[in-house]
């Protein structure tokens, strides 16, 4: 069975990274601004991906937050 038949779709990594960056950057900036960093505040974030599938978005969000600390 192909992806379309099962409802599975592949999102390119570059696009996932872009979406994660655009979504999380404002939250990161408000919780831990560059001029007053407090990385522990990032632990208060809750991220939900109701259409998880392979988990590509969630894995990238974790990586991105790890890099932000």
């Amino acid at each position: 069975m192909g992806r379309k038949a099962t409802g599975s779709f592949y999102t390119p990594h570059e696009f996932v990274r872009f979406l994660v960056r655009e979504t999380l950057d404002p939250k990161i900036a408000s919780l831990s601004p560059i001029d007053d960093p407090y990385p522990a505040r990032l632990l208060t974030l809750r991220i939900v991906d109701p259409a998880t599938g392979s988990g590509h978005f969630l894995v990238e969000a974790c990586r991105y937050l790890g890099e932000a600390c």
Side-chain angles (χ1 to χ4, degrees):
M1 268 190 178
R3 291 179 192 230
K4 288 185 181 182
T6 63
S8 300
F9 297 93
Y10 173 75
T11 307
H13 181 74
E14 296 77 23
F15 188 59
V16 170
R17 180 101 172 143
F18 169 78
L19 290 176
V20 166
R21 183 181 65 237
E22 291 297 306
T23 302
L24 291 181
D25 274 352
K27 291 290 189 185
I28 292 169
S30 69
L31 292 171
S32 185
I34 292 172
D35 59 337
D36 184 23
Y38 189 30
R41 287 187 195 141
L42 299 180
L43 296 174
T44 66
L45 283 173
R46 293 179 186 224
I47 298 174
V48 176
D49 181 3
T52 300
S54 68
H56 198 171
F57 283 90
L58 291 175
V59 169
E60 185 58 34
C62 288
R63 283 185 185 142
Y64 197 75
L65 287 170
E67 292 169 7
C69 290

